[in-house]
Amino acid sequence: MAAYALRRLLLALGTLWLAGSLVFLALLLLPGDPVQAILGLEASPEARAALERALGLDRPPLPRYLDWLWGLLRLDLGESIRYGKPVGELLEERLPLTLALVGLGLSGALLLALPLALLALRSPPLDLLLSGLMAFLQSLPTFFLGVVLLYAFAVHLPLLPASGFPGWERPLEALRHLLLPAFTLALARAAILFRMARGSLLEVLSQDYIRTARAKGVPEGRVLLKHALKPASLPLVTLLGLEGGFLLTGAVVVEAVFALPGLGSLALTALEARDYPLLQGLVVAMAALIVLFNLAVDLLYGLLDPRIEYA
């Protein structure tokens, strides 16, 4: 397993290089420029030229790309044009909130989907009802779902804060501010996890050893929890690896709705300001998180099924 993890980490370095290179190319084609975003349309040519020299934007793309690549090898992502601070420092400030939001959202989606899938298999009418409800939730855009939940639980029933984040100095208050955004993410992804869990459980329940357990008089709840749940969890774990990436991108929308200072809101600010170093650093950071998340999921297979061997 150690050799497999090492190979995956080496492959991850190539993935990060490719992601950063593609976003560098995309930013060259993006209309607008940071000089105009900072100085406005009325700036003089002399002021524009001076700022371009200060930001290094007067140089050809290739030397700028090579400088960025050398900095990436040294874990130096450059300095933000918009904030005037190192990109790594900004990521370090915003990353904990986004990771907490994604972790809560993924945990909430799993805690919603798995019990509902087990419950659906116990009753055909309930199965039909839950399947229809989950299909409806899956069709709703995350932005719309967030606005509806915000109105319901922060405006109409003022149970939770509507927006903002107090900081990690008060953990309980910070958790209250994250509950509603995390619940938005959880509902948006629980429908997909429910369908996968239900389908996987139905497949496992058709196996011979399940019929044997039932023939021996094992209670249905014990059949589901002890004999069917663990084998059925492998496809679900695979889907969780994909959902981690979707939740990271979904956090951009949710953080905008609830005014949370995470990576998502930072990405929107960087895009508006044409902050090239910050945008590149954000893409590399998100790509690294997705790669590490998928690696953790791959290694989790061995814990769920000891028969799996890593080549």
Side-chain angles (χ1 to χ4, degrees):
M1 183 182 292
Y4 173 79
L6 180 60
R7 286 198 301 271
R8 286 295 304 270
L9 286 174
L10 292 176
L11 182 62
L13 295 178
T15 303
L16 297 181
W17 165 77
L18 182 61
S21 300
L22 288 176
V23 74
F24 185 91
L25 178 62
L27 290 175
L28 292 178
L29 305 176
L30 193 68
D33 64 88
V35 173
Q36 179 177 308
I38 294 172
L39 297 179
L41 297 175
E42 305 299 326
S44 65
E46 293 79 9
R48 288 181 56 87
L51 186 56
E52 285 180 351
R53 285 193 301 272
L55 299 177
L57 298 177
D58 59 331
R59 305 168 60 204
L62 182 58
R64 286 160 47 198
Y65 170 73
L66 293 176
D67 285 347
W68 172 82
L69 190 60
W70 173 241
L72 181 62
L73 293 174
R74 295 181 290 113
L75 300 180
D76 178 11
L77 298 174
E79 185 173 294
S80 166
I81 296 173
R82 168 67 175 79
Y83 294 96
K85 298 171 63 176
V87 172
E89 184 178 326
L90 289 171
L91 294 178
E92 185 178 351
E93 292 174 358
R94 303 291 188 98
L95 184 59
L97 189 146
T98 298
L99 287 181
L101 181 60
V102 170
L104 287 172
L106 193 59
S107 301
L110 190 59
L111 290 175
L112 281 172
L114 199 52
L116 289 179
L118 291 169
L119 190 61
L121 295 179
R122 302 293 300 272
S123 170
L126 192 57
D127 184 13
L128 183 62
L129 176 64
L130 289 174
S131 297
L133 177 61
M134 289 301 170
F136 172 71
L137 284 176
Q138 190 175 350
S139 68
L140 295 178
T142 306
F143 179 85
F144 175 77
L145 189 58
V147 171
V148 170
L149 291 176
L150 191 151
Y151 176 77
F153 295 103
V155 179
H156 185 65
L157 298 173
L159 301 175
L160 293 170
S163 61
F165 186 71
W168 296 107
E169 294 79 12
R170 294 181 291 167
L172 292 179
E173 190 64 23
L175 181 61
R176 287 188 70 245
H177 281 75
L178 289 179
L179 282 180
L180 199 52
F183 188 53
T184 302
L185 283 178
L187 280 182
R189 310 315 302 179
I192 299 175
L193 294 176
F194 169 83
R195 293 178 60 187
M196 173 62 75
R198 178 183 173 276
S200 183
L201 283 167
L202 283 174
E203 182 179 352
V204 171
L205 289 174
S206 66
Q207 301 297 316
D208 291 339
Y209 71 92
I210 297 294
R211 285 194 289 269
T212 301
R214 284 171 170 166
K216 290 181 177 180
V218 178
E220 187 65 19
R222 185 176 175 84
V223 168
L224 287 172
L225 295 176
K226 184 175 181 181
H227 298 286
L229 186 57
K230 189 173 181 179
S233 62
L234 287 177
L236 192 60
V237 168
T238 302
L239 184 60
L240 285 176
L242 299 174
E243 288 302 302
F246 283 118
L247 284 174
L248 276 174
T249 54
V252 175
V253 177
V254 171
E255 288 176 9
V257 173
F258 293 95
L260 294 175
L263 291 184
S265 58
L266 188 65
L268 292 176
T269 302
L271 188 60
E272 292 172 359
R274 300 298 187 268
D275 193 337
Y276 297 159
L278 183 54
L279 280 172
Q280 288 173 259
L282 283 165
V283 170
V284 169
M286 289 190 174
L289 289 174
I290 292 172
V291 167
L292 290 176
F293 193 81
N294 287 326
L295 176 60
V297 168
D298 286 347
L299 298 179
L300 187 58
Y301 288 152
L303 299 177
L304 293 174
D305 191 347
R307 297 172 297 176
I308 294 178
E309 296 182 359
Y310 295 94

